[in-house]
């Protein structure tokens, strides 16, 4: 499994790039969100990858962040959604916007993406709602941008054995007490752990 590629960005297009790694040129299919985060041709780049095997081809998909790749893999786990459609969905909205749409059942926003019909939007909503770790936090805090620190804190508390409901409540209490922009991930988790004993 190829986890990532790091090398010289030779070609850059909105849906595809060519990355030269030790003299070998790799073609990677990318969403628009990744395109916007990469530098100009001639610059160095590190791209996370997903290898997709088909009967007639081996296709590499590239992503600028772990969140994008994780969402891509969740999308292709939905029945009827292939890699090309997942690439299109991630080109139509950011990961945070997509999570928010699914959390709040905004099917109209999903169907506004080219290639996504009503049935596909409904499947995305039903099949991904329980898989996304931060969805209930997004629903409880509409209009707020979910920070990666908040999502990681939720995951950390869950891995320590706390239920999602308790973890989310503890994190919300911490964020009410302090300016979340100034909180480090470590501090957020520490403060949340103090609250879990009171819930």
């Amino acid at each position: 499994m190829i986890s990532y590629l790091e090398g010289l960005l030779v070609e850059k297009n909105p849906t595809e790039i060519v990355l030269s790694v030790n003299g070998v040129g790799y073609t990677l299919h990318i969403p628009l969100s990744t395109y916007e985060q990469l530098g100009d041709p001639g610059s160095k780049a590190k791209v996370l990858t997903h290898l997709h095997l088909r009967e007639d081809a081996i296709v590499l998909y590239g992503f600028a962040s772990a969140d994008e790749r994780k969402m891509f893999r969740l999308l292709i786990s939905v029945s009827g959604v292939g890699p090309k459609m997942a690439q299109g969905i991630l080109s139509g909205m950011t990961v945070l916007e997509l999570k928010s749409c699914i959390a709040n059942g905004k099917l109209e926003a999903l169907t506004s993406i080219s290639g996504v019909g009503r049935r596909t939007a409904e499947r995305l909503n039903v099949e991904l709602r329980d898989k996304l770790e931060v969805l209930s936090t997004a629903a409880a805090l509409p209009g707020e941008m979910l920070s990666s620190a908040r999502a990681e804190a939720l995951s950390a508390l869950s891995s320590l054995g706390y239920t999602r409901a308790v973890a989310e409540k503890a994190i919300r209490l911490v964020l009410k007490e302090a300016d979340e922009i100034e909180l480090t991930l470590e501090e957020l988790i520490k403060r949340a752990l103090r609250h879990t004993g009171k819930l």
Side-chain angles (χ1 to χ4, degrees):
M1 175 67 77
I2 301 172
S3 181
Y4 68 88
L5 292 171
E6 189 170 5
L8 189 69
L9 188 60
V10 179
E11 295 179 22
K12 180 186 176 186
N13 297 298
T15 59
E16 186 178 285
I17 62 170
V18 175
L19 200 64
S20 177
V21 183
N22 296 325
V24 179
Y26 293 89
T27 297
L28 297 102
H29 297 272
I30 60 168
L32 189 59
S33 53
T34 291
Y35 171 83
E36 292 168 346
Q37 295 179 65
L38 294 174
D40 296 325
S43 63
K44 289 184 178 180
K46 179 178 179 179
V47 183
L48 302 180
T49 60
H50 174 84
L51 184 65
H52 182 70
L53 299 175
R54 296 192 329 220
E55 290 183 5
D56 59 341
I58 298 174
V59 184
L60 268 176
Y61 289 86
F63 309 93
S65 71
D67 281 345
E68 285 179 336
R69 181 170 65 180
K70 182 178 180 181
M71 179 57 75
F72 177 85
R73 288 172 171 170
L74 284 172
L75 287 170
I76 62 176
S77 73
V78 175
S79 56
V81 178
K84 191 171 183 179
M85 182 180 286
Q87 179 185 1
I89 292 171
L90 286 174
S91 294
M93 60 177 61
T94 67
V95 172
L96 286 175
E97 288 170 340
L98 183 55
K99 287 179 177 179
S100 178
C101 285
I102 294 170
N104 297 295
K106 295 180 180 177
L107 301 184
E108 295 78 12
L110 293 172
T111 55
S112 69
I113 301 172
S114 178
V116 179
R118 182 78 182 182
R119 286 186 179 180
T120 300
E122 289 173 349
R123 282 199 300 270
L124 288 170
N125 187 53
V126 170
E127 295 185 34
L128 293 186
R129 182 178 291 274
D130 293 333
K131 293 182 181 179
L132 295 172
E133 296 176 350
V134 298
L135 282 186
S136 50
T137 307
L141 300 169
E144 285 191 23
M145 293 298 285
L146 290 170
S147 67
S148 58
R150 189 186 303 168
E152 289 178 32
L154 177 60
S155 178
L157 291 172
S158 297
S159 68
L160 289 172
Y162 294 100
T163 65
R164 185 174 298 177
V166 168
E168 288 169 353
K169 190 171 182 180
I171 291 170
R172 284 200 298 272
L173 288 171
V174 172
L175 296 180
K176 282 181 182 179
E177 295 171 353
D179 183 352
E180 70 175 296
I181 296 174
E182 297 178 357
L183 282 178
T184 64
L185 174 60
E186 183 179 1
E187 186 65 19
L188 177 57
I189 294 172
K190 282 182 180 178
R191 293 191 185 193
L193 281 170
R194 291 184 202 131
H195 280 294
T196 56
K198 304 172 187 176
L199 300 176

